[in-house]
Amino acid sequence: MLPVPPVERIMQGRRLLGESRRVVRRVMTLAMAHHLTGDRKYADRAGREMLAAAAFSDWNPSHFLDVAEMTFALAIGYDWLFDQLDVATRQTIRTAILEKGVRVPLDTKHAGWTRARNNWGQVCHAGMVAGALAVMEDDAEAAVQSVHRALGNVPLSMAMYAPKGSYPEGPGYWSYGTTYNVLLIAMLESVLGSSLGLDQAPGFDQTGAYPALVTGPSGSTFNYADGGAGRGAEPAVHWFAARYGRPDWLLGDAQPRQRALAAGADAESGSNRFLPLLMLWMQDASSADAVRMPLHWTSDCKTPICVHRSSWEDPNAVFVGLKAGSPSGPHGHMDGGSFVLDADGVRWAVDLGAESYHRIESRGMNFWSMAQNSERWRVFRQSSHSHNTLVIGDALQVAAGHTKVVRFSDAAVFPHSVLDLTPVYAGQAGAVHRGVALLAGGDVLVRDRLTGLKPGTTVRWGMVTPGSPGAAGQRSLALRQGDASLRLQILLPAEAVWALSDTAKPRNEWIRPIREP
């Protein structure tokens, strides 16, 4: 990072977020490097980064995540390197933290995020509290107001964790929102000596298990909603493991952590920006005397998911995740009834993940409306046509519909889950149910029961796979990935056969290619 020029105020569409995240990564890494080595060159380079950001005209308050992350970056640098910064640099950074960060939601209209019920509330309040606590000697009133607002409003976002620690926006956004939520609590405890009750939110004491529960033996996550299946290094999981005495929650963390460390320093990236926190929080997973997490689990929340796995220890175990909830939920897709599937160490049934927000927004499309006629559902990755679920009569799922788990069993002899999908197929069928069971020997049974179909209606059962298929047109279809193989067998209806469709070819020229990393 030393020879790389500091950030510039370069927008990507309506966001400055990429630059804010670069500053977080650089400042935190350089400040930690200084304290590990005692070498002033790292502190000096971090100081130049902060001065460059402080000189921006603003930190883009119209998209307040950008302000929050930039404020956090400068607050960390100001605090960790206070003794290494000269008086003039301190003053410049302190002024920027207050005028371009902490005071903005207190003195301007840019406070609509304050009562957010998603990751925005966690990230933005944490950023403002970081800035306020770092400079509270200079503006005690702003510090009081910022902390008070956070204590009153962050529980609105933390309600997502109830009752068992799940996260409606999927594992990718869990990492984002929860990391900042943990930082908020850690900062309050460090400076004020107490979390002031934030850690008592229902389900928060269980959410440290969530990344492991939704990660299959392949290393890919059950990436429902807007998010990729790749799992990154998660310092926050180490914080949870230490706080609640659960080293088994670290299962699945070692490989992504090693990948992040092996990747080296890409100074232009904002990814893995929280990796230095491992120096503060890292725990030893080998201290777990037993895995206390269940093989079969359902979240029992507003966006329900179910997961079934055959083993925690076997790298070739079978894992299946099943999605309920509503397309209109946070970062929702038309994925009611969709599933992912791992076996023999690879993922066979995949979720294609998120579309590029900027790619869609730059066309002037309204990507954030959840209405049935929204342009959001024209995007292949968001629609039910791209998910491992049913398509009835070539119609989309009903965006306002909400599906529920109506039966769940963790019995060893026949673990299974059943969803009532009728609300997302309203007007297309009388009733629709999907059941998924993990059978002895590693087979997975997916059973769909539909009633009230209009005569002549077609029903498509779909599964997106990276596997290389054998010949279609039969009731049995072989898939291969390297040395691993999977067989798909149609039991009913008797006349159904497999057909193939290439999802790699974009449905529109403006969507992200399917095979693009």
Side-chain angles (χ1 to χ4, degrees), residues 47-239:
R48 293 198 299 275
E49 194 73 34
M50 291 188 284
L51 287 173
F56 288 4
S57 57
D58 61 46
W59 294 337
N60 195 35
S62 63
H63 190 258
F64 209 84
L65 290 175
D66 313 9
V67 178
E69 294 219 46
M70 193 72 86
T71 303
F72 173 76
L74 267 65
I76 285 289
Y78 181 80
D79 184 70
W80 286 10
L81 298 173
F82 185 85
D83 292 332
Q84 288 73 44
L85 301 173
D86 61 48
V87 173
T89 299
R90 289 180 199 163
Q91 179 62 50
T92 300
I93 295 171
R94 185 164 60 240
T95 300
I97 288 172
L98 283 169
E99 294 183 356
K100 296 170 184 175
V102 174
R103 288 179 182 151
V104 173
L106 301 178
D107 300 338
T108 73
K109 65 179 182 179
H110 299 291
W113 54 268
T114 305
R115 293 185 62 77
R117 297 175 181 271
N118 60 3
N119 67 85
W120 276 64
Q122 297 168 299
V123 175
C124 293
H125 281 295
M128 294 304 96
V129 169
L133 293 179
V135 300
M136 66 180 180
E137 298 90 346
D138 297 88
D139 195 334
E141 181 58 30
V144 169
Q145 291 185 56
S146 298
V147 171
H148 187 266
R149 277 190 172 189
L151 294 176
N153 293 307
V154 171
L156 298 175
S157 295
M158 296 182 75
M160 295 186 291
Y161 295 117
K164 295 164 63 176
S166 189
Y167 203 78
E169 298 175 291
Y173 276 98
W174 180 95
S175 177
Y176 188 35
T178 304
T179 297
Y180 269 105
N181 211 135
V182 165
L183 284 165
L184 173 59
I185 290 172
M187 289 184 292
L188 290 172
E189 292 180 338
S190 174
V191 178
L192 304 179
S194 171
S195 70
L196 302 173
L198 283 185
D199 62 341
Q200 299 303 306
F204 187 70
D205 61 345
Q206 300 180 58
T207 198
Y210 174 79
L213 287 167
V214 298
T215 300
S218 67
S220 296
T221 65
F222 180 14
N223 58 312
Y224 57 93
D226 280 337
R231 180 172 172 180
E234 296 288 0
V237 175
H238 289 260
W239 184 89

Side-chain angles (χ1 to χ4, degrees), residues 178-504:
T178 304
T179 297
Y180 269 105
N181 211 135
V182 165
L183 284 165
L184 173 59
I185 290 172
M187 289 184 292
L188 290 172
E189 292 180 338
S190 174
V191 178
L192 304 179
S194 171
S195 70
L196 302 173
L198 283 185
D199 62 341
Q200 299 303 306
F204 187 70
D205 61 345
Q206 300 180 58
T207 198
Y210 174 79
L213 287 167
V214 298
T215 300
S218 67
S220 296
T221 65
F222 180 14
N223 58 312
Y224 57 93
D226 280 337
R231 180 172 172 180
E234 296 288 0
V237 175
H238 289 260
W239 184 89
F240 281 108
R243 193 177 188 93
Y244 297 106
R246 292 296 301 269
D248 59 325
W249 289 354
L250 297 171
L251 282 172
D253 172 77
Q255 286 189 338
R257 186 176 73 247
Q258 291 302 320
R259 283 197 303 268
L261 293 171
D266 177 2
E268 294 301 322
S269 172
S271 63
N272 288 318
R273 60 196 180 282
F274 301 115
L275 202 60
L277 293 171
L278 282 172
M279 303 296 293
L280 308 179
W281 299 339
M282 189 167 169
Q283 302 296 303
D284 182 5
S286 66
S287 64
D289 55 0
V291 178
R292 291 151 57 191
M293 291 180 293
L295 292 172
H296 313 286
W297 181 79
T298 184
S299 62
D300 290 332
C301 61
K302 190 174 180 180
T303 302
I305 62 169
C306 305
V307 293
H308 298 280
R309 73 178 72 222
S310 60
S311 171
W312 279 107
E313 290 79 20
D314 182 0
N316 295 318
V318 177
F319 168 88
V320 60
L322 183 63
K323 171 73 166 49
S326 175
S328 60
H331 286 277
H333 289 205
M334 288 183 168
D335 58 0
S338 190
F339 65 94
V340 297
L341 173 65
D342 284 7
D344 288 338
V346 296
R347 175 142 298 179
W348 295 100
V350 304
D351 189 303
L352 295 175
E355 186 55 78
S356 164
Y357 300 164
H358 175 63
R359 190 187 293 262
I360 303 302
E361 292 170 347
S362 64
R363 292 180 50 85
M365 296 174 68
N366 184 357
F367 191 56
W368 299 107
S369 167
M370 299 295 183
Q372 187 67 35
N373 61 354
S374 170
E375 292 177 306
R376 179 179 183 85
W377 311 124
R378 290 179 55 199
V379 178
F380 182 62
R381 280 179 172 86
Q382 298 348 84
S383 77
S384 44
H385 288 72
S386 75
H387 287 92
N388 303 328
T389 190
L390 303 171
V391 176
I392 301 177
D394 205 38
L396 295 173
Q397 289 188 346
V398 177
H402 189 275
T403 62
K404 297 181 179 180
V405 179
V406 293
R407 191 160 70 246
F408 172 82
S409 173
D410 58 2
V413 292
F414 189 67
H416 65 276
S417 300
V418 179
L419 310 184
D420 181 359
L421 302 177
T422 305
V424 293
Y425 294 107
Q428 301 173 35
V432 182
H433 290 80
R434 164 161 284 187
V436 171
L438 184 56
L439 306 181
D443 289 345
V444 173
L445 174 68
V446 181
R447 182 184 182 188
D448 298 308
R449 182 185 178 105
L450 296 85
T451 63
L453 290 170
K454 297 175 183 177
T457 299
T458 60
V459 178
R460 190 204 74 178
W461 189 104
M463 185 180 113
V464 182
T465 180
S468 298
Q474 307 294 322
R475 293 165 56 78
S476 180
L477 179 66
L479 300 174
R480 294 200 68 85
Q481 290 189 69
D483 294 332
S485 63
L486 183 82
R487 181 166 296 280
L488 298 173
Q489 180 70 43
I490 299 174
L491 302 180
L492 291 170
E495 67 275 14
V497 296
W498 293 110
L500 303 177
S501 175
D502 185 6
T503 59

